[in-house]
């Protein structure tokens, strides 16, 4: 769980944590002195505790966007958030969302997530999608590959799947 992860991170001797009303940032150094940061981008925190949107009846929409930055590269991990979360993140953070080298497709590549505006905001060079060998839902959805192709002619070809490669 996120709480267990943050508790463990807090206890790491070389890890610093900054918590604000809407973001959590962890930072530290690896054994070679390379600096890393892990930033959690969230939608409006009041929405978590006092939801006004029916979209928050879906627990997937509590997923934060997590961006790991390490050695000059940034990697975006999305969890199971859907279009609602992406729209809220774009509205809230806009151009301050970082360009990333790698984008983990949201919600296992479902078409209910991974909007073109969100992909464009993160501007990834590569994408990964986590799907099982015998996915009964038919994921990833073909429409998501159309979005990746619309973002960049090479991004669709640079999308790696756990179905093909195992752990990535």
């Amino acid at each position: 769980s996120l709480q267990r992860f943050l508790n463990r991170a807090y206890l790491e001797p070389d890890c610093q944590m900054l918590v604000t009303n809407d973001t959590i940032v962890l930072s530290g150094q690896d054994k070679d002195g390379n600096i890393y940061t892990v930033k959690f981008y969230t939608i409006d925190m009041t929405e978590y505790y006092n939801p006004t949107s029916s979209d928050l009846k879906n627990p997937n929409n509590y997923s934060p966007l997590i961006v790991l930055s390490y050695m000059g590269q940034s990697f975006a991990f999305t969890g199971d958030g859907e279009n609602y979360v992406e729209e809220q993140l774009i509205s809230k953070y806009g151009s301050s969302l970082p360009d990333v080298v790698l984008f983990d497709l949201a919600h296992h590549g479902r078409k209910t997530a991974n909007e073109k505006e969100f992909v464009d905001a993160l501007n990834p060079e590569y994408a990964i999608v986590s799907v099982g060998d015998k996915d009964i839902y038919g994921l990833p959805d073909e429409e998501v590959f159309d979005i990746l192709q619309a973002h960049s002619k090479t991004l669709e070809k640079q999308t790696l799947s756990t179905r093909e490669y195992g752990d990535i």
Side-chain angles (χ1 to χ4, degrees), residues 127 129-134 139-140 145 156-168:
V129 59
S130 178
V131 290
D133 282 340
K134 298 178 184 183
L139 297 175
F145 290 107
E156 180 189 7
K157 294 177 180 75
Q158 296 173 180
T159 299
L160 308 174
S161 168
T162 57
R163 180 178 294 136
E164 295 173 46
Y165 294 97
D167 293 341
I168 299 174

Side-chain angles (χ1 to χ4, degrees), residues 63-134:
S63 296
L65 168 63
I66 302 171
V67 176
L68 165 66
S69 297
Y70 182 68
M71 296 184 67
Q73 304 289 326
S74 292
F75 310 87
F77 302 95
T78 55
D80 283 336
E82 296 186 332
N83 293 342
Y84 172 76
V85 175
E86 296 171 357
E87 291 162 3
Q88 295 297 311
L89 291 171
I90 290 170
S91 175
K92 183 174 184 177
Y93 297 102
S95 63
S96 68
L97 287 171
D99 283 356
V100 298
V101 69
L102 182 120
F103 171 55
D104 174 27
L105 293 175
H107 210 179
H108 309 283
R110 279 187 169 85
K111 63 184 175 186
T112 58
N114 306 294
E115 288 188 342
K116 183 171 183 333
E117 293 78 13
F118 192 61
V119 173
D120 288 345
L122 295 174
N123 196 27
E125 295 177 39
Y126 298 91
I128 59 173
V129 59
S130 178
V131 290
D133 282 340
K134 298 178 184 183

Side-chain angles (χ1 to χ4, degrees), residues 105 109-111 113-114 141-149:
L105 293 175
R110 279 187 169 85
K111 63 184 175 186
N114 306 294
D141 287 323
E142 203 57 44
E143 294 89 337
V144 174
F145 290 107
D146 294 339
I147 290 168
L148 297 176
Q149 180 71 19

